Structure formats: C-alpha cells, structure tokens
Amino acid sequence: CYIDPPYNTGGDGFPYKDAYQHASWVAMIEARLRKGAETLSRDGVIFSSIDQNEYPKLRALLEGIFGRGNALGTIVWKNVTDNNPTNIAVEHEYVECFANSRVALESEWKSPYSDAKELLVKLGRKLVEKYGDTPTLRRTYQEWRRVNKEFLGPLEGYKFIDGGGIYAGSRSVHNPGKEGYRYDIIHPTTKKPCNQPLMGYRFPEETYKKLHADGRIIFGHGENKIIELKVYAHEYEAKLPSVIDLDGRSGANDLTNLFGEAQTFKNPKAPALLQELVPYAAGKGDLIMDFFWGSGT
C-alpha cells in the first residue's frame, strides 16, 4: 500500500495559516493513516513521502500508529537541483516505510525489474545469436559497453559476455563475519592454490566443484587473485537503496504529455517513484492503493 500525505510546503513555510489549521491538518493526516493501517494485510507496508518541513510530524504519527518496531527505514529522495540563494540547498525529500507487522515480511527485499537489466539480457541474446561464443562476440560487446557503460547504473560492472550472455564477476565467495570453509582451489594455468578469502569460502568444496563444472568460476591471471563467481544479467536482482536519485519534475512532464498544458496539478508525484518502490513490497495478486489521491499517480 502506497500513501502520499498532501500539502507539501515546497520549502516556503507552512501550508496552514494558524494553529487551528495546523491542528486540523495533523488530525486529518492521522485519521487517514489510521484508516490506511486498517486496510493493510498482515504483510502489508506503507510508503509515505513528505518534504523536510513536515517530516518530523509525519514520523511521529507513523511511529504512534504502527510502532517503532515496524519502521523499515527512511529513503532519501534526491529529486531536484536547488538554485535558490540559501545557506543550504535542499534537494531532497523523504519516503518513510512502515510495516503492518515486520515479522510477517520477507527477511530481504529484492526486485527483478530493471531497465538496464532488460537491455543487457536482450543485447546478450542478440549478440550470442549473431556471433556465437567467439572472440568476435567479446570484442563486439566490449566496443558497445565502452560507449554505453555510463547509462547502465548499478549494472555497470557487467563487463563480460560468453555463450550464456552478459555477466559480471561477483566477489560473493567470501564468508561474512566468521570463519568459513577452507580448501585449496588450483589455478588452471599456474597449477598453484589460489589465494583464499580472509574468512574462508562461504560454501563447501562440493558446491565449488559443481559451480566449476557449470562454468561459473572466474579465475584471475594468476593464483594471487581470489576467484569470483560468474553472475549473468538475467540473474540480477536489485536491492532497495536508502538514497534514490530521481528527477521530481518527471511527474509534471508525464501529465503534460497526457493532457497538455491544461493539467493543473502543481507538484504531481512522479510515477517513476512508484515504479521504483512497489516491486520490492508487492507481488502478483497484491493490491496497491494511493488513498490520498493527490494527482492520482
């Protein structure tokens, strides 16, 4: 469930004229939030976006309704470039995320959706079909990547290609935080044992043998480099970051494209923001509601 409290001030003061109007605003927001909480499934979540002027009040209301233990985190939305003459140029808003019941949620959120991922998967298939697993395939992809890598965002590290598609080398062989598995991995060229991660490998030797048989191990030029795992673009899953860089003007541009200059909403929420958030918290068959309406994002 996604909500968007209205009346963001835009940084030029309060949206109300006096204390009575202020109290009415807070009461209205609280009533909406409580009603929203009633609509949530046990594993439901609420995203609430607000600017810095009303953020402390919204946070307090959310904690009072959902409880501090159900706070999932605060996302900083960098959405504008502020050219006004001020001491500090405010270029962000906040998105608060609370769960109805944190224990009912998955322990980790990941999203399979990414424009860059889709592009790389399609490109990889096209190049493999045309060139096969050949030096020409790798040279052609390297030339393409040299021109386009700045547009790949978090997938910039997908530097390689083979018959299985475009892939990256992942250093996730390390065992985090405690002693892992210890065994020798022999470098195919030097025939010497490769350097091991500081805390050992995170998987047993049997798993390594299977990964090696499946062609999923990347060796360095020599044994001094720790092995990496081959991760294909179609396997990529994004994590929801605590900082999102998204032009807030895109919402107004979207509405103008739909309705021309006749559209009258001054600060419509960017649909791209919802496209960024929703895939982490909702799946097939889930219901998403924007019950503050606003610009009907």
Side-chain angles (χ1 to χ4, degrees):
C1 182
Y2 173 91
I3 67 170
D4 176 24
Y7 308 136
N8 286 1
T9 65
D12 57 355
F14 297 112
Y16 28 75
K17 297 179 180 179
D18 51 38
Y20 174 78
Q21 193 175 14
H22 176 202
S24 298
W25 181 88
V26 173
M28 184 274 290
I29 295 294
E30 181 175 9
R32 291 284 187 95
L33 289 174
R34 291 195 181 279
K35 184 60 67 175
E38 295 174 8
T39 71
L40 284 181
S41 60
R42 186 166 182 268
D43 61 348
V45 298
I46 280 183
F47 292 102
S48 308
S49 69
I50 201 81
D51 70 11
Q52 66 170 357
N53 295 286
E54 303 304 331
Y55 168 75
K57 302 181 185 69
L58 175 64
R59 175 77 189 200
L61 287 173
L62 289 168
E63 288 183 355
I65 294 170
F66 293 95
R68 289 186 179 182
N70 287 320
L72 299 179
T74 302
I75 296 171
V76 176
W77 174 22
K78 185 182 184 305
N79 60 357
V80 69
T81 298
D82 189 351
N83 295 318
N84 295 318
T86 56
N87 297 104
I88 298 176
V90 178
E91 300 184 337
H92 68 279
E93 295 184 18
Y94 299 96
V95 179
E96 280 293 325
C97 184
F98 275 72
N100 189 7
S101 174
R102 186 166 190 165
V103 297
L105 295 184
E106 299 171 333
S107 59
E108 185 178 23
W109 272 354
K110 287 187 177 181
S111 171
Y113 304 107
S114 165
D115 290 340
K117 170 185 174 178
E118 184 176 347
L119 185 152
L120 288 182
V121 171
K122 289 182 178 179
L123 175 66
R125 289 173 181 167
K126 180 179 178 181
L127 293 179
V128 170
E129 287 177 2
K130 185 173 183 179
Y131 299 109
D133 193 354
T134 63
T136 302
L137 172 73
R138 288 176 274 281
R139 184 172 60 254
T140 302
Y141 175 62
Q142 289 303 322
E143 292 173 355
W144 180 92
R145 184 180 174 277
R146 188 161 39 250
V147 175
N148 297 283
K149 64 180 181 180
E150 64 181 290
F151 306 110
L152 296 178
L155 280 82
E156 183 182 349
Y158 282 71
K159 304 177 181 179
F160 313 106
I161 190 171
D162 63 12
I166 295 170
Y167 67 90
S170 170
R171 298 178 181 177
S172 58
V173 299
H174 303 68
N175 199 61
K178 60 180 181 180
E179 184 68 11
Y181 298 94
R182 295 285 183 183
Y183 47 87
D184 284 338
I185 292 179
I186 305 302
H187 192 277
T189 303
T190 68
K191 308 303 180 184
K192 296 179 180 180
C194 294
N195 282 356
Q196 296 184 12
L198 179 63
M199 303 300 291
Y201 298 106
R202 66 179 177 86
F203 42 74
E205 189 172 8
E206 292 75 19
T207 301
Y208 160 73
K209 290 179 179 178
K210 185 177 187 310
L211 290 168
H212 187 267
D214 292 340
R216 301 300 291 265
I217 300 298
I218 302 174
F219 292 93
H221 293 299
E223 72 278 359
N224 293 328
K225 191 176 188 306
I226 297 172
I227 65 166
E228 294 182 345
L229 296 182
K230 186 182 294 185
V231 180
Y232 287 101
H234 70 265
E235 299 171 316
Y236 174 79
E237 290 183 313
K239 292 185 176 181
L240 181 56
S242 62
V243 179
I244 295 175
D245 190 349
L246 176 68
D247 191 341
R249 296 170 297 183
S250 66
N253 294 336
D254 289 339
L255 276 187
T256 300
N257 290 335
L258 285 172
F259 302 112
E261 297 301 327
Q263 69 94 2
T264 58
F265 295 107
K266 292 183 178 180
N267 295 295
K269 193 64 61 184
L273 178 63
L274 274 70
Q275 292 172 336
E276 178 76 26
L277 299 174
V278 168
Y280 293 96
K284 186 177 181 180
D286 289 338
L287 179 66
I288 301 116
M289 178 186 294
D290 182 353
F291 58 81
F292 274 96
W293 284 27
S295 56
T297 306

